[in-house]
C-alpha cells in the first residue's frame, strides 16, 4: 500500500472520531502530499485508489466492522473499480474524502467514494469489494448478521452499477481466463 503511514495514522485516530453506522457517510479531511502527486503537480490517477482505501478503512473502523473483520480473520479485497475525474487535486490542496456504501448484491458490497474540495466533486469512484476468509468469499448475509444489521430498505443498488459489474467481470479464479492477444 502506497499510503502505509497514513493508514497507520488513520487506524490510530479513527476510533476517536464519532462512530458511524455501516450505512452512513464517512468524511476524512486530507491534504495532497508530495508523495501523492505526479510530474504534472496533481494527485496521480493511480494514487486515488490508494487514498480511497483509507476512506473505506475509516468507515469500517468507525462502524465497528474492522473489529469484526479482525475477529473473524476476514480480509477485504477489491473486485472491480471505476473512476471519473472532473478536476485535479493539486499539491498541498485540502480536500475531504467522502465514502458511503452504494448498495449490495449477492456477491459484492459497492462503495461510492469522492474527493471533494470547496463543496465540489473533483473525483468520483465506484468500487466493488468482498471479504474473504480462509474458506473463500464471505457472504454478505454473514457479514450483516455478524454486525446485527439489515440492509436499509432505501439502499438499492443502481441498475447501472449492476450492469457495469456484470459487463466487466472476469471469470472466477477457478475458471480459465486465457490470454488470446496475438
Amino acid at each position: 500500500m502506497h499510503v502505509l503511514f497514513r493508514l497507520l495514522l488513520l487506524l490510530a485516530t479513527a476510533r476517536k472520531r464519532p462512530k458511524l453506522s455501516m450505512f452512513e457517510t464517512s468524511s476524512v479531511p486530507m491534504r495532497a502530499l508530495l508523495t501523492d502527486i505526479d510530474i504534472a503537480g496533481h494527485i496521480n490517477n493511480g494514487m486515488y485508489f490508494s487514498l480511497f482505501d483509507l476512506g473505506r478503512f475509516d468507515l469500517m473502523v468507525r462502524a465497528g466492522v474492522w473489529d469484526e473483520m479482525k475477529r473473524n480473520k476476514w480480509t477485504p479485497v477489491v473486485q472491480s473499480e471505476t473512476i471519473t475525474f472532473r478536476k485535479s487535486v493539486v499539491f498541498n490542496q485540502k480536500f475531504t474524502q467522502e465514502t458511503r456504501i452504494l448498495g449490495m448484491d449477492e456477491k459484492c458490497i459497492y462503495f461510492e467514494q469522492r474527493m471533494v474540495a470547496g463543496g465540489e466533486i473533483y473525483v468520483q469512484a465506484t468500487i466493488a469489494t468482498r471479504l474473504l476468509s480462509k474458506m473463500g468469499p464471505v457472504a454478505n448475509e454473514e457479514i450483516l448478521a455478524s454486525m446485527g444489521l439489515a440492509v436499509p430498505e432505501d439502499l438499492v443498488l443502481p441498475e447501472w452499477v449492476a450492469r457495469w459489474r456484470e459487463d466487466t467481470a472476469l471469470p472466477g479464479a477457478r475458471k480459465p481466463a486465457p490470454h488470446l492477444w496475438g
Side-chain angles (χ1 to χ4, degrees), residues 20-122:
L20 293 173
S21 156
M22 187 168 126
F23 300 106
E24 290 183 289
T25 300
S26 161
S27 180
V28 179
M30 303 184 96
R31 181 183 298 268
L33 303 178
L34 191 58
T35 54
D36 301 332
I37 64 168
D38 59 20
I39 198 153
H42 57 238
I43 294 180
N44 177 276
N45 61 318
M47 181 57 75
Y48 282 105
F49 286 122
S50 292
L51 295 173
F52 283 141
D53 286 344
L54 298 176
R56 292 191 308 279
F57 275 106
D58 182 71
L59 179 58
M60 287 186 285
V61 169
R62 292 172 62 197
V65 177
W66 180 248
D67 291 334
E68 194 65 21
M69 288 169 53
K70 287 190 317 186
R71 189 178 70 72
N72 288 294
K73 298 181 181 173
W74 295 337
T75 304
V77 295
V78 170
Q79 291 238 305
S80 194
E81 49 195 5
T82 186
I83 193 166
T84 304
F85 304 97
R86 182 174 166 268
K87 286 186 172 185
S88 294
V89 177
V90 298
F91 173 64
N92 209 35
Q93 182 176 1
K94 290 182 180 181
F95 59 96
T96 60
Q97 183 187 152
E98 310 292 324
T99 300
R100 71 178 181 125
I101 291 181
L102 186 58
M104 301 172 145
D105 63 17
E106 63 281 348
K107 291 185 177 181
C108 294
I109 299 173
Y110 297 85
F111 289 86
E112 179 178 2
Q113 295 188 266
R114 298 175 174 181
M115 300 298 187
V116 177
E120 288 191 61
I121 300 168
Y122 276 51

Side-chain angles (χ1 to χ4, degrees), residues 169-182:
L170 291 171
R174 293 185 178 94
K175 294 180 182 175
H179 174 64
L180 301 175
W181 290 355

